[in-house]
Amino acid sequence: MSNCSGIVISSLDVTFRSENERLEVLKNFSITIQKGEYTVILGPSGCGKSTFLRILAGTLQRVIPTCEVKGNIEIKLCQGDKEYKIGLAPQSYSLVPWRTVLENVLFPKILTTNKITDQDRERATSILEMLGIGCFGKTYPSELSGGIAQRASLARALFTESDLLLLDEPLNAVDLYERERIQSLLRNYTQKKGITTIHVTHDIYEAAFVASRIILMTGRPGKVHSDICLSPINRDLLFRESKTYHALIAQLRATFNSWTDNYIKPEDWGGQ
Amino acid sequence: MKKLRLSHPRGIGAWIPAIITFVVFLIAWEGLIRVAKIPPYLLPSANALFTRMWRDIDQLLRNLALTTASTMAGFFIGSVVGWSSSMIFSLNRTFERAFYPYFIALKSIPIVVIAPMIALWLGTDLAGRIIVVALSTFFPILVNSLKGFANIENGLLELAVAYRATPRQIFFRLRLPGSLPYLFAGMKVSAVLAVVAALVAEMMGADSGLGFILTVSIYRTDTEALFCVTVLSAALALAIFGLVVLLERKGFPWIQGVLLNKSMEV
């Protein structure tokens, strides 16, 4: 692998251990992600999507100290020895309650340097405006609705000029109209800046729209089921009407349906 | 854009029910004494109480000022020492393991047992009383703040680790501000305990303060004076509690929102 070509993960096993139980979350998980790719990780609940994000963020062992991680993880996203920067939008939003929305967007910088310039403030404000929540800059998180809090959390992830953007179901609480607008914005913004993005979701419509590549994961223990690469067409309203988009959704839905074929059907209840 | 308001009603309107309750209470009090013909040495009338209070106002205020001084000073010292100790404990687990069990043991000793010891060692002047108040306010603040330092939201910690914050940055920019709601919760509990401790300290042979008046009025069966002390000490406790609430709301307006969200989750 050349100096800054991307992420290589090979034969990754992650096991959560409790006193008398072992839970295999990821098993023999291998993936190579090119720098600048917009990868969507799609899969059923509990298949290890968030665990994979935590591995990339380097937070897994801190959050779940009893987990076992085996395998090879190589992340090269910067020239030379420079450490890659992360932008993270966690599933739980995790806004800092004593900071306003604007300060929350600035928080990665407040946390690590505590030196905020007027330029930083301007940039944070423009990101909030871009996400349609510019008027909430002075509001405290406890006063926000779920959808707005989630967009604030996404704004914070975008504020860090990151090499690796990690999004854990970043739009699931956002209303449909805004969700579609932000999906297109996310795809075009990250493509323009060349940011490697890993976007976790279980929404097949979102996956089909934003991704340059979709990794479909199986249920627990999570493995790569299929790897779908998509053409780099502009993501706009026209794409949402296109045959490519609808065919992709049909393909994803068919795969999901095939997994649930063996489930007990309503007509089988009661041993009939 | 209209903001979502999640706060309690404030201003004069919020006080109306409490004022009505107070007026009804006064009327019931007077009525009970007149109807049941209760003798004044058992229960003085509200009227007699206020007359007495007015007559002795100079003496009462002088002693109230002394009690207030020892309560406030002790409360302040107890809060600062309690919060600082919790900070040291959360920075260094060995310290916590070494001292915390003994602090818990000390906490279980009632203040009426501690007060005479302090009186014996330090006397019953202001310094001794301040120490008694500080000791009784110290524990709730220590215990609460310690919980606050530990109870950082997992997601926030994860975020800080992902952004490669140092343990020092995590402590000062996440744990420390995050402990404030717990500090204030502890201070609200301690505000009332502080007045009790000041009265107890003054009852251990002091020659001034509301606790001193209390002791004298018990010996003389001076029920009116006893009630005067009751009213003033309750007012003092309320005032200190109010001061803590005011400081919390004006200084850290976000705490209300956090508490409301927490109670809604339950």
Side-chain angles (χ1 to χ4, degrees), chain A residues 54 59 62-63 83-84 86-88 94 96-98 107-108 110-112 114 140 142-143 156 160, chain B residues 3-4 6 153 155-156 158-165 169 173-174 177-178 254 257-258 261:
Chain A
R54 283 179 171 153
T59 59
R62 186 70 185 256
V63 179
E83 215 178 359
Y84 62 96
I86 285 174
L88 175 68
S94 297
V96 182
W98 56 89
F107 196 70
I110 294 177
L111 185 66
T112 50
N114 212 12
Y140 283 101
S142 62
E143 296 173 311
R156 180 178 56 193
T160 344
Chain B
K3 274 192 204 165
L4 200 62
L6 286 171
E153 191 205 320
L156 281 179
E158 188 175 358
L159 202 75
V161 174
Y163 286 121
R164 310 212 170 97
Q169 287 164 343
R173 303 204 178 121
L174 278 178
W254 56 272
V258 174
N261 275 10

mmCIF file of all heavy atoms in Angstrom, chain A residues 54 59 62-63 83-84 86-88 94 96-98 107-108 110-112 114 140 142-143 156 160, chain B residues 3-4 6 153 155-156 158-165 169 173-174 177-178 254 257-258 261:
data_model
loop_
_atom_site.group_PDB
_atom_site.id
_atom_site.type_symbol
_atom_site.label_atom_id
_atom_site.label_comp_id
_atom_site.label_asym_id
_atom_site.label_seq_id
_atom_site.Cartn_x
_atom_site.Cartn_y
_atom_site.Cartn_z
ATOM 1 N N ARG A 54 -16.192 2.505 15.568
ATOM 2 C CA ARG A 54 -15.382 2.749 16.776
ATOM 3 C C ARG A 54 -13.954 2.265 16.595
ATOM 4 O O ARG A 54 -13.019 2.844 17.138
ATOM 5 C CB ARG A 54 -16.022 2.061 17.981
ATOM 6 C CG ARG A 54 -17.209 2.847 18.484
ATOM 7 C CD ARG A 54 -17.860 2.181 19.656
ATOM 8 N NE ARG A 54 -18.849 3.092 20.223
ATOM 9 C CZ ARG A 54 -19.919 2.709 20.877
ATOM 10 N NH1 ARG A 54 -20.154 1.419 21.062
ATOM 11 N NH2 ARG A 54 -20.757 3.588 21.367
ATOM 12 N N THR A 59 -11.790 4.297 19.433
ATOM 13 C CA THR A 59 -12.435 4.491 20.738
ATOM 14 C C THR A 59 -13.010 3.199 21.314
ATOM 15 O O THR A 59 -13.496 3.204 22.433
ATOM 16 C CB THR A 59 -13.598 5.494 20.618
ATOM 17 O OG1 THR A 59 -14.537 4.997 19.674
ATOM 18 C CG2 THR A 59 -13.113 6.855 20.186
ATOM 19 N N ARG A 62 -11.801 1.965 24.669
ATOM 20 C CA ARG A 62 -12.102 2.930 25.724
ATOM 21 C C ARG A 62 -13.573 2.821 26.154
ATOM 22 O O ARG A 62 -13.908 2.914 27.324
ATOM 23 C CB ARG A 62 -11.800 4.341 25.199
ATOM 24 C CG ARG A 62 -11.920 5.425 26.212
ATOM 25 C CD ARG A 62 -10.780 5.321 27.228
ATOM 26 N NE ARG A 62 -10.979 6.302 28.278
ATOM 27 C CZ ARG A 62 -10.294 7.436 28.363
ATOM 28 N NH1 ARG A 62 -9.357 7.710 27.511
ATOM 29 N NH2 ARG A 62 -10.534 8.275 29.332
ATOM 30 N N VAL A 63 -14.442 2.588 25.162
ATOM 31 C CA VAL A 63 -15.876 2.519 25.449
ATOM 32 C C VAL A 63 -16.233 1.148 26.032
ATOM 33 O O VAL A 63 -17.003 1.043 26.982
ATOM 34 C CB VAL A 63 -16.705 2.794 24.170
ATOM 35 C CG1 VAL A 63 -18.185 2.704 24.457
ATOM 36 C CG2 VAL A 63 -16.373 4.167 23.620
ATOM 37 N N GLU A 83 -0.667 12.509 11.748
ATOM 38 C CA GLU A 83 -1.779 11.682 12.190
ATOM 39 C C GLU A 83 -3.057 12.165 11.514
ATOM 40 O O GLU A 83 -3.274 13.366 11.389
ATOM 41 C CB GLU A 83 -1.926 11.819 13.712
ATOM 42 C CG GLU A 83 -2.369 10.541 14.348
ATOM 43 C CD GLU A 83 -2.464 10.670 15.864
ATOM 44 O OE1 GLU A 83 -2.159 11.738 16.406
ATOM 45 O OE2 GLU A 83 -2.860 9.700 16.483
ATOM 46 N N TYR A 84 -3.862 11.198 11.070
ATOM 47 C CA TYR A 84 -5.093 11.602 10.382
ATOM 48 C C TYR A 84 -6.098 12.186 11.370
ATOM 49 O O TYR A 84 -6.153 11.790 12.521
ATOM 50 C CB TYR A 84 -5.702 10.428 9.619
ATOM 51 C CG TYR A 84 -6.114 9.266 10.485
ATOM 52 C CD1 TYR A 84 -7.427 9.124 10.917
ATOM 53 C CD2 TYR A 84 -5.193 8.302 10.870
ATOM 54 C CE1 TYR A 84 -7.801 8.058 11.718
ATOM 55 C CE2 TYR A 84 -5.557 7.234 11.661
ATOM 56 C CZ TYR A 84 -6.863 7.117 12.091
ATOM 57 O OH TYR A 84 -7.227 6.079 12.887
ATOM 58 N N ILE A 86 -10.009 13.084 12.577
ATOM 59 C CA ILE A 86 -11.317 12.435 12.488
ATOM 60 C C ILE A 86 -12.434 13.460 12.678
ATOM 61 O O ILE A 86 -12.316 14.386 13.475
ATOM 62 C CB ILE A 86 -11.407 11.341 13.586
ATOM 63 C CG1 ILE A 86 -10.576 10.130 13.176
ATOM 64 C CG2 ILE A 86 -12.853 10.928 13.853
ATOM 65 C CD1 ILE A 86 -10.491 9.084 14.234
ATOM 66 N N GLY A 87 -13.504 13.278 11.926
ATOM 67 C CA GLY A 87 -14.755 13.982 12.202
ATOM 68 C C GLY A 87 -15.757 12.914 12.589
ATOM 69 O O GLY A 87 -15.884 11.914 11.880
ATOM 70 N N LEU A 88 -16.432 13.070 13.710
ATOM 71 C CA LEU A 88 -17.285 11.983 14.200
ATOM 72 C C LEU A 88 -18.679 12.486 14.560
ATOM 73 O O LEU A 88 -18.827 13.449 15.321
ATOM 74 C CB LEU A 88 -16.624 11.337 15.440
ATOM 75 C CG LEU A 88 -17.406 10.267 16.184
ATOM 76 C CD1 LEU A 88 -17.560 9.022 15.339
ATOM 77 C CD2 LEU A 88 -16.713 9.914 17.497
ATOM 78 N N SER A 94 -24.570 13.186 21.366
ATOM 79 C CA SER A 94 -23.548 13.583 22.347
ATOM 80 C C SER A 94 -23.161 15.054 22.238
ATOM 81 O O SER A 94 -22.000 15.384 22.029
ATOM 82 C CB SER A 94 -22.293 12.716 22.197
ATOM 83 O OG SER A 94 -22.616 11.385 22.463
ATOM 84 N N VAL A 96 -22.592 18.678 24.032
ATOM 85 C CA VAL A 96 -22.144 19.081 25.366
ATOM 86 C C VAL A 96 -23.214 20.006 25.972
ATOM 87 O O VAL A 96 -23.481 21.068 25.417
ATOM 88 C CB VAL A 96 -20.797 19.818 25.266
ATOM 89 C CG1 VAL A 96 -20.284 20.190 26.628
ATOM 90 C CG2 VAL A 96 -19.795 18.957 24.529
ATOM 91 N N PRO A 97 -23.844 19.608 27.089
ATOM 92 C CA PRO A 97 -25.023 20.346 27.563
ATOM 93 C C PRO A 97 -24.750 21.776 28.015
ATOM 94 O O PRO A 97 -25.656 22.588 28.007
ATOM 95 C CB PRO A 97 -25.551 19.506 28.728
ATOM 96 C CG PRO A 97 -24.512 18.510 29.041
ATOM 97 C CD PRO A 97 -23.594 18.397 27.868
ATOM 98 N N TRP A 98 -23.503 22.080 28.419
ATOM 99 C CA TRP A 98 -23.237 23.431 28.916
ATOM 100 C C TRP A 98 -22.705 24.361 27.828
ATOM 101 O O TRP A 98 -22.253 25.454 28.114
ATOM 102 C CB TRP A 98 -22.285 23.405 30.108
ATOM 103 C CG TRP A 98 -20.990 22.718 29.858
ATOM 104 C CD1 TRP A 98 -19.846 23.282 29.384
ATOM 105 C CD2 TRP A 98 -20.690 21.348 30.061
ATOM 106 N NE1 TRP A 98 -18.867 22.343 29.267
ATOM 107 C CE2 TRP A 98 -19.360 21.140 29.687
ATOM 108 C CE3 TRP A 98 -21.440 20.252 30.528
ATOM 109 C CZ2 TRP A 98 -18.747 19.901 29.765
ATOM 110 C CZ3 TRP A 98 -20.828 19.014 30.600
ATOM 111 C CH2 TRP A 98 -19.504 18.855 30.224
ATOM 112 N N PHE A 107 -16.604 22.684 19.451
ATOM 113 C CA PHE A 107 -16.086 21.959 20.617
ATOM 114 C C PHE A 107 -14.829 21.122 20.375
ATOM 115 O O PHE A 107 -13.929 21.114 21.229
ATOM 116 C CB PHE A 107 -17.177 21.104 21.272
ATOM 117 C CG PHE A 107 -16.797 20.672 22.659
ATOM 118 C CD1 PHE A 107 -16.732 21.592 23.684
ATOM 119 C CD2 PHE A 107 -16.457 19.359 22.933
ATOM 120 C CE1 PHE A 107 -16.351 21.219 24.964
ATOM 121 C CE2 PHE A 107 -16.069 18.976 24.205
ATOM 122 C CZ PHE A 107 -16.022 19.907 25.214
ATOM 123 N N PRO A 108 -14.696 20.427 19.219
ATOM 124 C CA PRO A 108 -13.442 19.684 19.018
ATOM 125 C C PRO A 108 -12.223 20.590 19.190
ATOM 126 O O PRO A 108 -11.211 20.180 19.755
ATOM 127 C CB PRO A 108 -13.554 19.185 17.581
ATOM 128 C CG PRO A 108 -15.016 19.110 17.320
ATOM 129 C CD PRO A 108 -15.643 20.219 18.119
ATOM 130 N N ILE A 110 -12.275 23.608 20.875
ATOM 131 C CA ILE A 110 -12.274 24.100 22.259
ATOM 132 C C ILE A 110 -11.613 23.060 23.157
ATOM 133 O O ILE A 110 -10.800 23.371 24.019
ATOM 134 C CB ILE A 110 -13.718 24.371 22.752
ATOM 135 C CG1 ILE A 110 -14.343 25.529 21.970
ATOM 136 C CG2 ILE A 110 -13.753 24.658 24.260
ATOM 137 C CD1 ILE A 110 -15.785 25.832 22.325
ATOM 138 N N LEU A 111 -11.956 21.796 22.907
ATOM 139 C CA LEU A 111 -11.459 20.702 23.741
ATOM 140 C C LEU A 111 -9.943 20.561 23.654
ATOM 141 O O LEU A 111 -9.272 20.371 24.659
ATOM 142 C CB LEU A 111 -12.136 19.398 23.291
ATOM 143 C CG LEU A 111 -11.864 18.133 24.070
ATOM 144 C CD1 LEU A 111 -12.443 18.244 25.472
ATOM 145 C CD2 LEU A 111 -12.480 16.932 23.375
ATOM 146 N N THR A 112 -9.413 20.672 22.448
ATOM 147 C CA THR A 112 -8.000 20.343 22.297
ATOM 148 C C THR A 112 -7.069 21.555 22.287
ATOM 149 O O THR A 112 -5.891 21.417 22.592
ATOM 150 C CB THR A 112 -7.766 19.525 21.006
ATOM 151 O OG1 THR A 112 -8.414 20.210 19.935
ATOM 152 C CG2 THR A 112 -8.340 18.138 21.118
ATOM 153 N N ASN A 114 -8.521 25.168 22.849
ATOM 154 C CA ASN A 114 -9.170 26.282 23.552
ATOM 155 C C ASN A 114 -8.866 27.637 22.903
ATOM 156 O O ASN A 114 -9.067 28.667 23.524
ATOM 157 C CB ASN A 114 -8.776 26.295 25.029
ATOM 158 C CG ASN A 114 -9.910 26.827 25.883
ATOM 159 O OD1 ASN A 114 -11.038 26.978 25.402
ATOM 160 N ND2 ASN A 114 -9.635 27.111 27.138
ATOM 161 N N TYR A 140 -29.195 26.216 23.766
ATOM 162 C CA TYR A 140 -28.553 25.096 24.479
ATOM 163 C C TYR A 140 -29.169 23.767 24.003
ATOM 164 O O TYR A 140 -30.358 23.727 23.657
ATOM 165 C CB TYR A 140 -28.735 25.245 25.987
ATOM 166 C CG TYR A 140 -27.804 26.274 26.586
ATOM 167 C CD1 TYR A 140 -28.245 27.553 26.892
ATOM 168 C CD2 TYR A 140 -26.469 25.965 26.797
ATOM 169 C CE1 TYR A 140 -27.371 28.503 27.419
ATOM 170 C CE2 TYR A 140 -25.600 26.899 27.315
ATOM 171 C CZ TYR A 140 -26.049 28.169 27.625
ATOM 172 O OH TYR A 140 -25.188 29.085 28.130
ATOM 173 N N SER A 142 -30.386 21.230 25.420
ATOM 174 C CA SER A 142 -31.594 20.719 26.080
ATOM 175 C C SER A 142 -32.859 21.330 25.492
ATOM 176 O O SER A 142 -33.949 20.839 25.717
ATOM 177 C CB SER A 142 -31.530 20.995 27.573
ATOM 178 O OG SER A 142 -31.471 22.383 27.790
ATOM 179 N N GLU A 143 -32.697 22.436 24.753
ATOM 180 C CA GLU A 143 -33.872 23.099 24.177
ATOM 181 C C GLU A 143 -34.139 22.664 22.733
ATOM 182 O O GLU A 143 -35.040 23.188 22.091
ATOM 183 C CB GLU A 143 -33.677 24.620 24.219
ATOM 184 C CG GLU A 143 -33.591 25.167 25.634
ATOM 185 C CD GLU A 143 -33.231 26.636 25.675
ATOM 186 O OE1 GLU A 143 -32.259 27.030 25.009
ATOM 187 O OE2 GLU A 143 -33.926 27.387 26.360
ATOM 188 N N ARG A 156 -20.868 19.537 13.857
ATOM 189 C CA ARG A 156 -19.621 19.417 14.611
ATOM 190 C C ARG A 156 -18.644 18.475 13.895
ATOM 191 O O ARG A 156 -17.431 18.739 13.848
ATOM 192 C CB ARG A 156 -19.936 18.896 16.016
ATOM 193 C CG ARG A 156 -18.727 18.738 16.893
ATOM 194 C CD ARG A 156 -19.103 18.270 18.271
ATOM 195 N NE ARG A 156 -19.866 17.028 18.208
ATOM 196 C CZ ARG A 156 -20.538 16.517 19.221
ATOM 197 N NH1 ARG A 156 -20.554 17.129 20.389
ATOM 198 N NH2 ARG A 156 -21.206 15.396 19.102
ATOM 199 N N THR A 160 -14.564 19.870 11.945
ATOM 200 C CA THR A 160 -13.170 19.415 11.961
ATOM 201 C C THR A 160 -12.779 19.152 10.517
ATOM 202 O O THR A 160 -13.425 18.374 9.845
ATOM 203 C CB THR A 160 -13.037 18.045 12.673
ATOM 204 O OG1 THR A 160 -14.210 17.812 13.420
ATOM 205 C CG2 THR A 160 -11.816 17.923 13.486
ATOM 206 N N LYS B 3 -38.452 29.604 20.494
ATOM 207 C CA LYS B 3 -37.673 28.565 21.167
ATOM 208 C C LYS B 3 -38.589 27.725 22.054
ATOM 209 O O LYS B 3 -39.550 28.213 22.611
ATOM 210 C CB LYS B 3 -36.611 29.213 22.048
ATOM 211 C CG LYS B 3 -35.350 29.538 21.303
ATOM 212 C CD LYS B 3 -34.302 29.880 22.313
ATOM 213 C CE LYS B 3 -33.219 30.746 21.723
ATOM 214 N NZ LYS B 3 -32.425 31.352 22.766
ATOM 215 N N LEU B 4 -38.204 26.476 22.158
ATOM 216 C CA LEU B 4 -38.926 25.575 23.028
ATOM 217 C C LEU B 4 -38.561 25.899 24.472
ATOM 218 O O LEU B 4 -37.394 25.944 24.824
ATOM 219 C CB LEU B 4 -38.463 24.157 22.681
ATOM 220 C CG LEU B 4 -39.350 23.010 23.073
ATOM 221 C CD1 LEU B 4 -40.678 23.138 22.357
ATOM 222 C CD2 LEU B 4 -38.679 21.714 22.655
ATOM 223 N N LEU B 6 -38.546 24.937 28.375
ATOM 224 C CA LEU B 6 -38.729 23.759 29.220
ATOM 225 C C LEU B 6 -38.594 24.128 30.693
ATOM 226 O O LEU B 6 -38.413 23.272 31.535
ATOM 227 C CB LEU B 6 -37.675 22.698 28.878
ATOM 228 C CG LEU B 6 -37.893 21.957 27.563
ATOM 229 C CD1 LEU B 6 -36.691 21.119 27.236
ATOM 230 C CD2 LEU B 6 -39.128 21.089 27.641
ATOM 231 N N GLU B 153 -21.144 11.463 30.316
ATOM 232 C CA GLU B 153 -21.844 10.670 29.294
ATOM 233 C C GLU B 153 -20.821 9.932 28.433
ATOM 234 O O GLU B 153 -19.843 10.512 27.981
ATOM 235 C CB GLU B 153 -22.699 11.611 28.440
ATOM 236 C CG GLU B 153 -23.661 10.879 27.524
ATOM 237 C CD GLU B 153 -24.038 11.715 26.316
ATOM 238 O OE1 GLU B 153 -24.247 12.933 26.480
ATOM 239 O OE2 GLU B 153 -24.099 11.151 25.223
ATOM 240 N N GLY B 155 -20.897 8.885 25.435
ATOM 241 C CA GLY B 155 -20.750 9.422 24.085
ATOM 242 C C GLY B 155 -19.794 10.607 24.049
ATOM 243 O O GLY B 155 -19.010 10.755 23.114
ATOM 244 N N LEU B 156 -19.860 11.449 25.095
ATOM 245 C CA LEU B 156 -18.980 12.615 25.157
ATOM 246 C C LEU B 156 -17.536 12.180 25.335
ATOM 247 O O LEU B 156 -16.618 12.728 24.730
ATOM 248 C CB LEU B 156 -19.371 13.525 26.316
ATOM 249 C CG LEU B 156 -20.573 14.435 26.096
ATOM 250 C CD1 LEU B 156 -20.846 15.258 27.331
ATOM 251 C CD2 LEU B 156 -20.301 15.352 24.921
ATOM 252 N N GLU B 158 -16.314 9.334 24.415
ATOM 253 C CA GLU B 158 -15.911 8.706 23.159
ATOM 254 C C GLU B 158 -15.477 9.773 22.149
ATOM 255 O O GLU B 158 -14.458 9.641 21.473
ATOM 256 C CB GLU B 158 -17.090 7.908 22.608
ATOM 257 C CG GLU B 158 -16.701 7.073 21.418
ATOM 258 C CD GLU B 158 -17.830 6.186 20.937
ATOM 259 O OE1 GLU B 158 -18.913 6.188 21.551
ATOM 260 O OE2 GLU B 158 -17.620 5.500 19.934
ATOM 261 N N LEU B 159 -16.264 10.830 22.108
ATOM 262 C CA LEU B 159 -15.966 11.939 21.206
ATOM 263 C C LEU B 159 -14.600 12.540 21.534
ATOM 264 O O LEU B 159 -13.780 12.789 20.641
ATOM 265 C CB LEU B 159 -17.054 12.992 21.392
ATOM 266 C CG LEU B 159 -17.274 13.952 20.264
ATOM 267 C CD1 LEU B 159 -18.010 13.263 19.131
ATOM 268 C CD2 LEU B 159 -18.075 15.142 20.752
ATOM 269 N N ALA B 160 -14.373 12.743 22.829
ATOM 270 C CA ALA B 160 -13.110 13.346 23.262
ATOM 271 C C ALA B 160 -11.929 12.453 22.892
ATOM 272 O O ALA B 160 -10.889 12.940 22.461
ATOM 273 C CB ALA B 160 -13.146 13.597 24.759
ATOM 274 N N VAL B 161 -12.117 11.135 23.044
ATOM 275 C CA VAL B 161 -11.037 10.202 22.701
ATOM 276 C C VAL B 161 -10.794 10.235 21.195
ATOM 277 O O VAL B 161 -9.648 10.278 20.736
ATOM 278 C CB VAL B 161 -11.381 8.761 23.179
ATOM 279 C CG1 VAL B 161 -10.331 7.773 22.700
ATOM 280 C CG2 VAL B 161 -11.488 8.720 24.697
ATOM 281 N N ALA B 162 -11.893 10.263 20.416
ATOM 282 C CA ALA B 162 -11.755 10.305 18.956
ATOM 283 C C ALA B 162 -11.036 11.576 18.513
ATOM 284 O O ALA B 162 -10.254 11.551 17.571
ATOM 285 C CB ALA B 162 -13.125 10.216 18.296
ATOM 286 N N TYR B 163 -11.303 12.690 19.210
ATOM 287 C CA TYR B 163 -10.640 13.947 18.848
ATOM 288 C C TYR B 163 -9.267 14.070 19.509
ATOM 289 O O TYR B 163 -8.669 15.125 19.504
ATOM 290 C CB TYR B 163 -11.539 15.140 19.190
ATOM 291 C CG TYR B 163 -12.686 15.273 18.216
ATOM 292 C CD1 TYR B 163 -14.005 15.239 18.635
ATOM 293 C CD2 TYR B 163 -12.434 15.408 16.853
ATOM 294 C CE1 TYR B 163 -15.052 15.336 17.731
ATOM 295 C CE2 TYR B 163 -13.475 15.501 15.944
ATOM 296 C CZ TYR B 163 -14.780 15.465 16.385
ATOM 297 O OH TYR B 163 -15.796 15.553 15.482
ATOM 298 N N ARG B 164 -8.820 12.965 20.112
ATOM 299 C CA ARG B 164 -7.477 12.861 20.686
ATOM 300 C C ARG B 164 -7.212 13.899 21.764
ATOM 301 O O ARG B 164 -6.152 14.530 21.808
ATOM 302 C CB ARG B 164 -6.421 12.950 19.585
ATOM 303 C CG ARG B 164 -6.766 11.984 18.448
ATOM 304 C CD ARG B 164 -5.589 11.422 17.747
ATOM 305 N NE ARG B 164 -6.014 10.356 16.863
ATOM 306 C CZ ARG B 164 -6.249 10.485 15.557
ATOM 307 N NH1 ARG B 164 -6.094 11.639 14.970
ATOM 308 N NH2 ARG B 164 -6.622 9.450 14.834
ATOM 309 N N ALA B 165 -8.204 14.116 22.619
ATOM 310 C CA ALA B 165 -8.009 15.010 23.758
ATOM 311 C C ALA B 165 -7.162 14.290 24.796
ATOM 312 O O ALA B 165 -7.255 13.068 24.949
ATOM 313 C CB ALA B 165 -9.358 15.387 24.356
ATOM 314 N N GLN B 169 -7.204 17.487 29.328
ATOM 315 C CA GLN B 169 -8.253 18.242 28.621
ATOM 316 C C GLN B 169 -9.624 17.650 28.913
ATOM 317 O O GLN B 169 -10.599 18.377 29.109
ATOM 318 C CB GLN B 169 -7.981 18.225 27.113
ATOM 319 C CG GLN B 169 -6.810 19.107 26.720
ATOM 320 C CD GLN B 169 -6.281 18.808 25.330
ATOM 321 O OE1 GLN B 169 -6.554 17.753 24.752
ATOM 322 N NE2 GLN B 169 -5.510 19.732 24.791
ATOM 323 N N ARG B 173 -12.211 20.144 30.654
ATOM 324 C CA ARG B 173 -13.229 20.679 29.746
ATOM 325 C C ARG B 173 -14.474 19.813 29.673
ATOM 326 O O ARG B 173 -15.473 20.227 29.109
ATOM 327 C CB ARG B 173 -12.624 20.880 28.358
ATOM 328 C CG ARG B 173 -11.429 21.787 28.487
ATOM 329 C CD ARG B 173 -11.023 22.549 27.302
ATOM 330 N NE ARG B 173 -9.883 23.365 27.696
ATOM 331 C CZ ARG B 173 -8.695 23.304 27.127
ATOM 332 N NH1 ARG B 173 -8.493 22.504 26.111
ATOM 333 N NH2 ARG B 173 -7.722 24.057 27.553
ATOM 334 N N LEU B 174 -14.410 18.578 30.244
ATOM 335 C CA LEU B 174 -15.619 17.749 30.237
ATOM 336 C C LEU B 174 -16.061 17.372 31.652
ATOM 337 O O LEU B 174 -17.169 17.672 32.067
ATOM 338 C CB LEU B 174 -15.404 16.478 29.416
ATOM 339 C CG LEU B 174 -15.561 16.600 27.904
ATOM 340 C CD1 LEU B 174 -15.266 15.272 27.240
ATOM 341 C CD2 LEU B 174 -16.964 17.050 27.524
ATOM 342 N N PRO B 177 -16.823 20.746 34.221
ATOM 343 C CA PRO B 177 -18.130 21.395 34.048
ATOM 344 C C PRO B 177 -19.290 20.418 34.222
ATOM 345 O O PRO B 177 -20.346 20.801 34.711
ATOM 346 C CB PRO B 177 -18.088 21.953 32.618
ATOM 347 C CG PRO B 177 -16.858 21.446 31.987
ATOM 348 C CD PRO B 177 -15.967 20.900 33.027
ATOM 349 N N GLY B 178 -19.052 19.141 33.849
ATOM 350 C CA GLY B 178 -20.106 18.139 33.986
ATOM 351 C C GLY B 178 -20.470 17.851 35.432
ATOM 352 O O GLY B 178 -21.557 17.338 35.721
ATOM 353 N N TRP B 254 -27.799 26.467 31.855
ATOM 354 C CA TRP B 254 -27.973 25.183 31.171
ATOM 355 C C TRP B 254 -28.325 24.043 32.126
ATOM 356 O O TRP B 254 -28.887 23.035 31.716
ATOM 357 C CB TRP B 254 -26.705 24.826 30.397
ATOM 358 C CG TRP B 254 -25.468 24.794 31.244
ATOM 359 C CD1 TRP B 254 -24.656 25.850 31.521
ATOM 360 C CD2 TRP B 254 -24.922 23.687 31.943
ATOM 361 N NE1 TRP B 254 -23.640 25.456 32.338
ATOM 362 C CE2 TRP B 254 -23.772 24.125 32.619
ATOM 363 C CE3 TRP B 254 -25.299 22.341 32.068
ATOM 364 C CZ2 TRP B 254 -22.996 23.293 33.411
ATOM 365 C CZ3 TRP B 254 -24.516 21.506 32.846
ATOM 366 C CH2 TRP B 254 -23.384 21.982 33.516
ATOM 367 N N GLY B 257 -31.986 22.871 32.165
ATOM 368 C CA GLY B 257 -32.349 22.054 31.003
ATOM 369 C C GLY B 257 -31.882 20.624 31.153
ATOM 370 O O GLY B 257 -32.619 19.690 30.858
ATOM 371 N N VAL B 258 -30.671 20.440 31.668
ATOM 372 C CA VAL B 258 -30.118 19.091 31.854
ATOM 373 C C VAL B 258 -30.980 18.330 32.850
ATOM 374 O O VAL B 258 -31.359 17.179 32.627
ATOM 375 C CB VAL B 258 -28.663 19.166 32.361
ATOM 376 C CG1 VAL B 258 -28.153 17.778 32.698
ATOM 377 C CG2 VAL B 258 -27.777 19.808 31.320
ATOM 378 N N ASN B 261 -34.362 17.399 31.364
ATOM 379 C CA ASN B 261 -34.242 16.289 30.420
ATOM 380 C C ASN B 261 -34.046 14.967 31.144
ATOM 381 O O ASN B 261 -34.586 13.956 30.756
ATOM 382 C CB ASN B 261 -33.059 16.525 29.480
ATOM 383 C CG ASN B 261 -33.467 17.394 28.320
ATOM 384 O OD1 ASN B 261 -34.564 17.949 28.336
ATOM 385 N ND2 ASN B 261 -32.610 17.515 27.346
#
